[in-house]
Amino acid sequence: MSIRHPQSPHIRSVIARRVSRRGFLLGSTGGLSAVAASGFVGSLFSGAAHAQPAQSSLTFTELTRIYDATHHVAEGYRADVVVAWGDPMAAGQGPFDPATMTGADLAGRFGYNCDFIAYMPLPKGSQNSDHGLLCVNNEYASANVMFPGVTWDNMPGSLSDADVAVINASVGHSIVEVRRTDGRWAVVQDSPFNRRITMDSEIAISGPAAGHPWMRTSYDPEGRLARGTHYNCAGGITPWGTVLSGEEGAYDSFGGDVAAHPQADVLTRYDYDGSDYYGRTRLDPRFDLAVEPNEPHRFDWVVEIDPYDPASTPVKRTALGRFAHEGATVWLNRDGRVVVYMGDDSNFEYIYRFVSDAAYDPADPASGRDILDAGTLSVARFNEDGSVDWLPLVHGYGPLTAENGFADQAEVLLKTRLAADALGATPMDRPEGVETNPVTGRVYALMTKNKKITAEKLNPVNTRPENLYGHIVELIPPGGTGLDADHAADRFEWDLFVLCGNPRIAAQGARFHEDTSENGWFVNPDNLGFDPKGRMFVATDGANDFDMADGVYGIDTEGPARALPKLLFAAPKGAECSSPRFTPDGTTLFVSVQHPAEDSESLAEVTTLWPDFRPGGLPRPAVVAIQRMDGGEVAS
Ligand code: FEO
Ligand code: CA
Ligand code: CA
């Protein structure tokens, strides 16, 4: 999301010394020859003669940078809207009509501000790339372009109770069956799989924090059954056919006096300020801290959803920790243990990893059912020597003892951020997507930006003060490449893959491949996906602050064009791009276009009515399918 982190562009000088020293360290460690062979080492755009530009393996002709009311894709491709906010999901529902929309109606329609996308083939277990389920997070609502007269500044007073009901019904998660016919993706409207999970859905609580006294409310005296999920950002897909949805911090949903709360220190560390930004307490007193003080502890977890079983109850998996989960991406380790990588998307927060105790047996999908309830959560500490240590968030380890305020493992998890502070984890420039390259086994972590970092707060892996541009960190597990890599190891190596910004403005300190074009560089990386060949596709969120479109960029991670991005897709005014996801055959790249027109003050001066452009209508966030005109593999 972007609106909770507003920033305006500034250009500041860069501490190049840090990056240079890092380059020297890499050169001296050996074993990282791919880095040395890339165009990344040495200064970018030095003016030196350069006879033979590197050839990206991505075959599309790069899109020319453009930022206007609609979306754009590279020549020879098309980008079609598959499903948008308010689209019908059940038999008999008519088209979306903003004039008559209500909360009750929208609770059965596709949700707002689409983010994470899972494509789950049908039938389950197949690699079908023409028929499947789209499982999509609906993160929040851009109320300034949903209701006349509403601005970000006059909320929540400008919202009626009916407006709040529309907002609440439009967030959470949407599952729709989709089918591709003659190259066009469409929703199967009356599918029994179609389902909304909202702020009111029943969600089980499992793992070490289930049943803890802080998890108990008047609705749920046992502390094992939550009501609803919201602020669902990115997520992940498990080998046993479920999806993971990250709850990215419910801090502004709650109203009341944080200082008077029994766990005020915890709420403060989790950014709760009692603002009740959307006026939710008016409709539901459980969001009033004085009425239901434990309700906040029941958010900011990872939710597991089984999209293939519409009757299933989603589960909050507390073993994966409590923080502003951007996502939760899954890697099946070489020994069968399940590894989940997660970023905590706030300034100076951390990167986490979960490793299951048990091994998953692919021949027995049921072995995955509760495998995420027992394992070791750890947090990353990046060292100057190019190594990264995974520090276990385990009760009794180091300072994580009762004397220091961590009574048991449940409390370590309920206070994950505080436990990670105590272990000395490395504060990062807002970690968003973290994902493993399926071919090389290397892990990439996207730092979107951190305006608040000062020269005094720099560390080996966050190297620029007032980092408005973001960067991508590469984590290299030991043990070999691809499936040989040991993602459960205590120590990895790390590298800086790219430093974002405009490489032609030296003061920004950007570093991409030296052959990066005027269209190819980017800012504010947010999510990433890999195609079947292991090429990276990055979606950005924040370029609007630089008067540029957010977009999707394809990048080689290996070979002579390593770190050379190319622009594939540009979003319309005010929108970010989120959560690129390929079909198994690589012929479709789904991407979320989130919060179009959100840069508008209000509907009175809306910057775009994408994608319908209907006079009197509303802008609508939507999932887009990018395909080659000839139906071939994207970028191949
Ligand atoms: Fe929901 Fe981290 O963006
Ligand atoms: Ca973001
Ligand atoms: Ca995001």
Coordinates of all heavy atoms in Angstrom, one line a residue, residues 563-635:
A563 N 21.0 -7.9 -13.5 CA 20.6 -6.6 -13.0 C 20.3 -5.6 -14.0 O 20.4 -4.4 -13.8 CB 21.7 -6.1 -12.0
L564 N 19.9 -6.1 -15.2 CA 19.5 -5.1 -16.3 C 18.0 -5.2 -16.4 O 17.4 -6.1 -17.0 CB 20.2 -5.5 -17.6 CG 20.3 -4.5 -18.7 CD1 21.2 -5.0 -19.9 CD2 18.9 -4.2 -19.3
P565 N 17.3 -4.2 -15.9 CA 15.8 -4.2 -15.9 C 15.3 -3.7 -17.2 O 15.9 -2.8 -17.9 CB 15.4 -3.3 -14.8 CG 16.6 -2.4 -14.5 CD 17.8 -3.0 -15.1
K566 N 14.1 -4.2 -17.6 CA 13.4 -3.7 -18.8 C 11.9 -3.5 -18.4 O 11.3 -4.4 -17.8 CB 13.5 -4.7 -20.0 CG 14.8 -4.8 -20.6 CD 14.9 -6.0 -21.6 CE 14.0 -5.6 -22.8 NZ 14.1 -6.7 -23.9
L567 N 11.4 -2.4 -18.9 CA 10.0 -2.0 -18.6 C 9.0 -2.8 -19.4 O 9.1 -2.7 -20.7 CB 9.8 -0.5 -18.7 CG 8.4 0.0 -18.5 CD1 7.9 -0.3 -17.1 CD2 8.3 1.5 -18.8
L568 N 8.1 -3.6 -18.8 CA 7.1 -4.4 -19.5 C 5.8 -3.7 -19.5 O 5.0 -3.8 -20.5 CB 7.1 -5.8 -18.9 CG 6.0 -6.7 -19.5 CD1 6.2 -7.1 -20.9 CD2 5.9 -8.0 -18.6
F569 N 5.4 -3.1 -18.4 CA 4.0 -2.7 -18.1 C 4.0 -1.4 -17.3 O 4.8 -1.3 -16.3 CB 3.2 -3.8 -17.4 CG 1.8 -3.5 -17.0 CD1 0.8 -3.6 -17.9 CD2 1.5 -3.1 -15.7 CE1 -0.5 -3.3 -17.6 CE2 0.2 -2.7 -15.4 CZ -0.8 -2.9 -16.3
A570 N 3.1 -0.5 -17.7 CA 3.0 0.7 -16.9 C 1.5 0.9 -16.4 O 0.6 0.7 -17.2 CB 3.4 1.9 -17.7
A571 N 1.4 1.2 -15.1 CA 0.0 1.3 -14.5 C -0.5 2.7 -14.8 O 0.2 3.7 -15.1 CB 0.1 1.0 -13.0
P572 N -1.9 2.9 -14.6 CA -2.5 4.2 -14.8 C -2.2 5.1 -13.6 O -1.6 4.7 -12.6 CB -3.9 3.9 -14.9 CG -4.1 2.6 -14.2 CD -2.9 1.8 -14.4
K573 N -2.6 6.4 -13.7 CA -2.4 7.4 -12.7 C -2.8 6.9 -11.3 O -3.9 6.3 -11.1 CB -3.3 8.6 -13.0 CG -2.7 9.5 -14.1 CD -1.8 10.6 -13.6 CE -1.3 11.5 -14.7 NZ -0.4 12.5 -14.2
G574 N -2.0 7.2 -10.4 CA -2.3 6.9 -9.0 C -2.1 5.5 -8.5 O -2.2 5.2 -7.3
A575 N -1.9 4.5 -9.4 CA -1.9 3.1 -9.1 C -0.5 2.6 -8.8 O 0.5 3.0 -9.4 CB -2.5 2.3 -10.2
E576 N -0.4 1.6 -7.9 CA 0.8 0.8 -7.8 C 0.6 -0.5 -8.6 O -0.6 -0.9 -8.8 CB 1.2 0.5 -6.4 CG 0.2 -0.4 -5.7 CD 0.7 -0.9 -4.3 OE1 1.4 -1.9 -4.3 OE2 0.4 -0.3 -3.3
C577 N 1.6 -1.2 -8.8 CA 1.5 -2.6 -9.3 C 1.9 -3.5 -8.2 O 2.9 -3.3 -7.5 CB 2.5 -2.8 -10.5 SG 1.9 -2.0 -12.0
S578 N 1.2 -4.7 -8.1 CA 1.5 -5.6 -7.0 C 1.5 -7.0 -7.5 O 0.8 -7.4 -8.4 CB 0.4 -5.5 -5.9 OG 0.1 -4.2 -5.6
S579 N 2.4 -7.8 -6.9 CA 2.3 -9.3 -6.9 C 2.2 -9.9 -8.2 O 1.2 -10.6 -8.6 CB 1.0 -9.6 -6.0 OG 1.2 -9.2 -4.7
P580 N 3.2 -9.8 -9.1 CA 3.2 -10.5 -10.4 C 3.2 -12.0 -10.2 O 3.9 -12.5 -9.3 CB 4.5 -10.0 -11.0 CG 5.4 -9.5 -9.9 CD 4.4 -9.0 -8.9
R581 N 2.4 -12.7 -11.0 CA 2.3 -14.1 -10.9 C 2.1 -14.8 -12.2 O 1.1 -14.4 -12.9 CB 1.0 -14.4 -10.0 CG 0.7 -15.9 -9.8 CD 1.7 -16.6 -8.9 NE 1.7 -16.0 -7.6 CZ 2.7 -16.1 -6.7 NH1 3.7 -16.9 -6.9 NH2 2.6 -15.5 -5.5
F582 N 2.9 -15.8 -12.5 CA 2.8 -16.5 -13.8 C 1.9 -17.7 -13.7 O 1.9 -18.3 -12.6 CB 4.2 -16.9 -14.3 CG 5.0 -15.8 -14.9 CD1 5.9 -15.0 -14.1 CD2 4.9 -15.6 -16.2 CE1 6.6 -14.0 -14.7 CE2 5.7 -14.5 -16.8 CZ 6.5 -13.8 -16.0
T583 N 1.3 -18.0 -14.8 CA 0.7 -19.4 -14.9 C 1.9 -20.4 -15.1 O 3.0 -20.0 -15.4 CB -0.2 -19.5 -16.2 OG1 0.6 -19.0 -17.3 CG2 -1.5 -18.7 -16.0
P584 N 1.7 -21.7 -14.7 CA 2.8 -22.6 -14.8 C 3.5 -22.7 -16.1 O 4.7 -22.9 -16.2 CB 2.1 -24.0 -14.5 CG 0.9 -23.6 -13.7 CD 0.4 -22.3 -14.2
D585 N 2.8 -22.4 -17.2 CA 3.5 -22.5 -18.5 C 4.1 -21.2 -18.9 O 4.7 -21.1 -20.0 CB 2.4 -22.9 -19.6 CG 1.4 -21.9 -19.8 OD1 1.3 -20.8 -19.2 OD2 0.5 -22.1 -20.7
G586 N 4.0 -20.2 -18.1 CA 4.7 -18.9 -18.4 C 4.1 -18.0 -19.5 O 4.6 -17.1 -19.9
T587 N 2.8 -18.4 -19.9 CA 2.2 -17.6 -21.0 C 1.4 -16.5 -20.5 O 1.0 -15.6 -21.3 CB 1.3 -18.5 -21.9 OG1 0.3 -19.1 -21.1 CG2 2.2 -19.6 -22.5
T588 N 1.0 -16.5 -19.2 CA 0.3 -15.3 -18.7 C 1.0 -14.8 -17.4 O 1.4 -15.6 -16.6 CB -1.2 -15.7 -18.3 OG1 -1.9 -16.1 -19.5 CG2 -1.9 -14.6 -17.6
L589 N 1.1 -13.5 -17.4 CA 1.6 -12.9 -16.1 C 0.4 -12.0 -15.6 O 0.0 -11.0 -16.2 CB 2.8 -12.0 -16.5 CG 3.3 -11.1 -15.3 CD1 3.7 -11.9 -14.1 CD2 4.5 -10.3 -15.8
F590 N -0.1 -12.5 -14.5 CA -1.2 -11.7 -13.8 C -0.5 -10.7 -12.9 O 0.6 -10.9 -12.3 CB -2.0 -12.6 -12.9 CG -2.8 -13.6 -13.6 CD1 -2.5 -15.0 -13.6 CD2 -4.0 -13.3 -14.3 CE1 -3.3 -15.9 -14.3 CE2 -4.7 -14.2 -15.0 CZ -4.4 -15.5 -15.0
V591 N -1.1 -9.5 -12.8 CA -0.6 -8.5 -12.0 C -1.7 -7.6 -11.4 O -2.7 -7.4 -12.1 CB 0.5 -7.6 -12.7 CG1 -0.1 -6.8 -13.8 CG2 1.2 -6.6 -11.7
S592 N -1.6 -7.2 -10.2 CA -2.6 -6.4 -9.6 C -2.3 -4.9 -9.9 O -1.2 -4.4 -9.7 CB -2.7 -6.5 -8.1 OG -3.3 -7.8 -7.7
V593 N -3.4 -4.2 -10.3 CA -3.3 -2.7 -10.4 C -4.1 -2.2 -9.2 O -5.3 -2.2 -9.2 CB -3.9 -2.2 -11.8 CG1 -3.9 -0.7 -11.8 CG2 -3.0 -2.8 -12.9
Q594 N -3.4 -1.7 -8.2 CA -4.0 -1.3 -7.0 C -4.1 0.2 -6.9 O -3.2 0.9 -7.3 CB -3.1 -1.9 -5.8 CG -3.7 -1.7 -4.5 CD -2.9 -2.2 -3.3 OE1 -2.9 -1.6 -2.2 NE2 -2.3 -3.3 -3.4
H595 N -5.2 0.6 -6.3 CA -5.5 2.0 -6.0 C -5.3 3.0 -7.2 O -4.7 4.0 -7.1 CB -4.9 2.5 -4.8 CG -3.4 2.5 -4.6 ND1 -2.5 3.3 -5.4 CD2 -2.6 1.7 -3.9 CE1 -1.3 3.0 -5.0 NE2 -1.3 2.0 -4.1
P596 N -5.9 2.7 -8.4 CA -5.9 3.7 -9.5 C -6.6 5.0 -9.0 O -7.6 4.9 -8.2 CB -6.7 3.1 -10.6 CG -7.5 2.0 -9.9 CD -6.7 1.5 -8.8
A597 N -6.1 6.1 -9.4 CA -6.6 7.5 -9.0 C -6.4 7.9 -7.6 O -7.0 8.9 -7.2 CB -8.1 7.6 -9.4
E598 N -5.7 7.1 -6.8 CA -5.6 7.4 -5.4 C -4.8 8.7 -5.2 O -4.9 9.3 -4.1 CB -4.9 6.3 -4.6 CG -5.0 6.4 -3.1 CD -4.3 5.3 -2.4 OE1 -3.0 5.4 -2.4 OE2 -4.9 4.5 -1.8
D599 N -4.1 9.2 -6.2 CA -3.4 10.5 -6.1 C -4.4 11.7 -6.2 O -4.0 12.8 -6.0 CB -2.4 10.6 -7.2 CG -3.0 10.4 -8.6 OD1 -4.0 9.8 -8.8 OD2 -2.4 11.0 -9.6
S600 N -5.7 11.4 -6.5 CA -6.7 12.5 -6.5 C -7.0 13.0 -5.1 O -7.1 12.2 -4.2 CB -8.0 11.9 -7.1 OG -7.7 11.1 -8.3
E601 N -7.3 14.3 -5.1 CA -7.7 14.8 -3.8 C -9.1 14.2 -3.4 O -9.3 13.8 -2.3 CB -7.9 16.3 -3.9 CG -8.4 17.0 -2.7 CD -7.5 17.1 -1.5 OE1 -6.3 16.8 -1.7 OE2 -7.9 17.4 -0.4
S602 N -10.0 14.1 -4.4 CA -11.3 13.5 -4.2 C -11.9 13.2 -5.5 O -11.2 13.4 -6.6 CB -12.2 14.5 -3.4 OG -12.5 15.6 -4.3
L603 N -13.1 12.6 -5.5 CA -13.7 12.3 -6.8 C -14.0 13.5 -7.7 O -14.1 13.4 -8.9 CB -15.0 11.6 -6.5 CG -15.0 10.1 -6.2 CD1 -16.3 9.6 -5.9 CD2 -14.4 9.3 -7.4
A604 N -14.0 14.7 -7.1 CA -14.3 15.9 -7.8 C -13.2 16.2 -8.9 O -13.5 16.8 -9.9 CB -14.5 17.1 -6.9
E605 N -12.0 15.8 -8.6 CA -10.9 16.0 -9.5 C -10.2 14.7 -9.8 O -8.9 14.6 -9.7 CB -10.0 17.1 -9.1 CG -9.4 16.9 -7.7 CD -9.7 18.0 -6.8 OE1 -10.9 18.3 -6.6 OE2 -8.8 18.5 -6.2
V606 N -10.9 13.6 -10.1 CA -10.3 12.3 -10.2 C -9.3 12.3 -11.4 O -9.6 12.8 -12.4 CB -11.4 11.2 -10.3 CG1 -12.1 11.3 -11.6 CG2 -10.9 9.9 -9.9
T607 N -8.2 11.6 -11.1 CA -7.1 11.6 -12.2 C -7.4 10.6 -13.2 O -6.8 10.6 -14.3 CB -5.7 11.4 -11.6 OG1 -5.8 10.2 -10.7 CG2 -5.3 12.6 -10.7
T608 N -8.1 9.5 -12.9 CA -8.5 8.5 -13.9 C -9.7 7.8 -13.5 O -10.0 7.6 -12.2 CB -7.4 7.5 -14.2 OG1 -7.8 6.6 -15.2 CG2 -7.0 6.8 -12.9
L609 N -10.5 7.3 -14.4 CA -11.7 6.4 -14.1 C -11.4 5.1 -14.7 O -12.3 4.3 -15.1 CB -13.0 7.0 -14.7 CG -13.5 8.3 -14.0 CD1 -14.7 8.8 -14.8 CD2 -13.9 7.9 -12.6
W610 N -10.1 4.7 -14.7 CA -9.6 3.4 -15.1 C -10.4 2.3 -14.3 O -10.5 2.5 -13.1 CB -8.1 3.3 -14.9 CG -7.5 2.0 -15.5 CD1 -7.0 1.8 -16.7 CD2 -7.3 0.8 -14.8 NE1 -6.5 0.6 -16.8 CE2 -6.6 -0.1 -15.7 CE3 -7.6 0.3 -13.5 CZ2 -6.3 -1.4 -15.3 CZ3 -7.2 -1.0 -13.2 CH2 -6.6 -1.8 -14.1
P611 N -10.7 1.2 -14.9 CA -10.6 0.8 -16.3 C -11.8 1.0 -17.2 O -11.7 0.8 -18.4 CB -10.3 -0.7 -16.2 CG -11.1 -1.1 -15.0 CD -11.2 0.0 -14.1
D612 N -12.9 1.5 -16.6 CA -14.1 1.6 -17.3 C -14.2 2.9 -18.1 O -14.9 3.0 -19.1 CB -15.4 1.4 -16.4 CG -15.2 0.2 -15.5 OD1 -15.0 -0.8 -16.0 OD2 -15.4 0.4 -14.3
F613 N -13.7 4.0 -17.5 CA -13.8 5.3 -18.1 C -15.2 5.7 -18.3 O -15.6 6.3 -19.3 CB -12.9 5.4 -19.3 CG -11.5 5.2 -19.1 CD1 -10.9 4.0 -19.5 CD2 -10.7 6.1 -18.4 CE1 -9.6 3.8 -19.2 CE2 -9.4 5.9 -18.2 CZ -8.8 4.7 -18.6
R614 N -16.1 5.3 -17.4 CA -17.5 5.6 -17.5 C -17.9 6.9 -16.8 O -17.6 7.0 -15.6 CB -18.3 4.5 -16.9 CG -19.7 4.3 -17.5 CD -20.4 3.0 -17.0 NE -19.8 1.8 -17.7 CZ -19.5 0.7 -17.1 NH1 -19.7 0.5 -15.8 NH2 -19.0 -0.3 -17.8
P615 N -18.4 7.9 -17.5 CA -18.8 9.2 -16.8 C -19.7 8.9 -15.6 O -20.6 8.1 -15.7 CB -19.5 10.0 -17.9 CG -19.1 9.4 -19.2 CD -18.8 7.9 -18.9
G616 N -19.3 9.5 -14.5 CA -20.1 9.3 -13.3 C -19.7 8.0 -12.6 O -20.2 7.7 -11.5
G617 N -18.8 7.2 -13.2 CA -18.4 5.9 -12.5 C -17.3 6.2 -11.6 O -17.0 7.3 -11.2
L618 N -16.7 5.1 -11.1 CA -15.6 5.1 -10.2 C -14.4 4.4 -10.8 O -14.5 3.4 -11.5 CB -16.0 4.4 -8.9 CG -17.1 5.0 -8.1 CD1 -17.5 4.1 -6.9 CD2 -16.8 6.4 -7.6
P619 N -13.2 4.8 -10.4 CA -12.0 4.0 -10.7 C -12.1 2.7 -9.9 O -12.6 2.7 -8.8 CB -10.8 4.9 -10.2 CG -11.4 5.8 -9.2 CD -12.8 6.0 -9.5
R620 N -11.6 1.6 -10.5 CA -11.7 0.3 -9.9 C -10.4 -0.5 -10.0 O -9.9 -0.7 -11.0 CB -12.8 -0.5 -10.6 CG -14.2 0.1 -10.4 CD -15.3 -0.9 -10.8 NE -15.2 -1.4 -12.1 CZ -15.7 -2.6 -12.5 NH1 -16.3 -3.4 -11.6 NH2 -15.6 -3.0 -13.8
P621 N -9.8 -0.8 -8.8 CA -8.6 -1.7 -8.8 C -9.0 -3.0 -9.5 O -10.1 -3.5 -9.4 CB -8.4 -1.9 -7.3 CG -9.1 -0.8 -6.6 CD -10.3 -0.5 -7.4
A622 N -8.0 -3.6 -10.2 CA -8.3 -4.8 -11.0 C -7.1 -5.6 -11.2 O -5.9 -5.2 -11.1 CB -8.8 -4.4 -12.4
V623 N -7.3 -6.9 -11.4 CA -6.2 -7.8 -11.8 C -6.2 -7.8 -13.3 O -7.2 -7.9 -14.0 CB -6.5 -9.3 -11.3 CG1 -5.5 -10.3 -11.9 CG2 -6.5 -9.3 -9.8
V624 N -4.9 -7.7 -13.9 CA -4.7 -7.6 -15.3 C -3.9 -8.9 -15.7 O -3.1 -9.4 -15.0 CB -3.9 -6.4 -15.6 CG1 -3.3 -6.4 -17.0 CG2 -4.8 -5.1 -15.4
A625 N -4.2 -9.4 -16.9 CA -3.5 -10.5 -17.5 C -2.6 -10.0 -18.6 O -3.2 -9.5 -19.6 CB -4.4 -11.6 -18.0
I626 N -1.3 -10.2 -18.5 CA -0.4 -9.8 -19.6 C 0.0 -11.0 -20.4 O 0.4 -12.0 -19.8 CB 0.9 -9.1 -19.0 CG1 0.5 -7.9 -18.2 CG2 1.9 -8.9 -20.0 CD1 1.7 -7.3 -17.4
Q627 N -0.3 -10.9 -21.7 CA 0.0 -12.1 -22.5 C 0.7 -11.6 -23.8 O 0.4 -10.5 -24.3 CB -1.3 -12.8 -22.9 CG -2.0 -13.4 -21.7 CD -3.3 -14.0 -22.2 OE1 -3.4 -15.2 -22.6 NE2 -4.4 -13.3 -22.2
R628 N 1.4 -12.5 -24.4 CA 1.9 -12.2 -25.8 C 0.8 -12.3 -26.8 O -0.1 -13.2 -26.6 CB 3.0 -13.2 -26.1 CG 4.4 -12.6 -26.3 CD 5.5 -13.6 -26.4 NE 5.5 -14.4 -27.6 CZ 6.4 -15.3 -27.9 NH1 7.4 -15.5 -27.0 NH2 6.3 -16.0 -29.0
M629 N 0.8 -11.4 -27.8 CA -0.3 -11.5 -28.8 C -0.4 -12.8 -29.4 O -1.5 -13.3 -29.8 CB -0.1 -10.4 -29.8 CG -0.3 -9.0 -29.4 SD -2.0 -8.6 -29.1 CE -2.0 -6.8 -28.9
D630 N 0.8 -13.5 -29.6 CA 0.8 -14.8 -30.3 C 0.6 -15.9 -29.4 O 0.7 -17.1 -29.8 CB 2.0 -14.9 -31.1 CG 3.3 -15.0 -30.3 OD1 3.2 -15.0 -29.0 OD2 4.4 -15.0 -30.8
G631 N 0.4 -15.6 -28.1 CA 0.1 -16.7 -27.1 C 1.3 -17.4 -26.6 O 1.2 -18.3 -25.8
G632 N 2.5 -17.0 -26.9 CA 3.7 -17.6 -26.5 C 4.1 -17.3 -25.1 O 3.4 -16.5 -24.4
E633 N 5.2 -17.8 -24.6 CA 5.7 -17.5 -23.3 C 6.1 -16.0 -23.2 O 6.8 -15.5 -24.0 CB 6.9 -18.4 -22.9 CG 6.6 -19.7 -22.3 CD 7.9 -20.4 -21.8 OE1 8.6 -19.9 -20.9 OE2 8.3 -21.4 -22.5
V634 N 5.7 -15.4 -22.1 CA 6.0 -14.0 -21.9 C 7.6 -13.9 -21.8 O 8.2 -14.7 -21.1 CB 5.4 -13.5 -20.5 CG1 5.9 -12.2 -20.1 CG2 3.9 -13.5 -20.7
A635 N 8.1 -12.9 -22.5 CA 9.5 -12.6 -22.5 C 10.4 -13.7 -23.0 O 11.6 -13.6 -22.8 CB 10.0 -12.2 -21.1

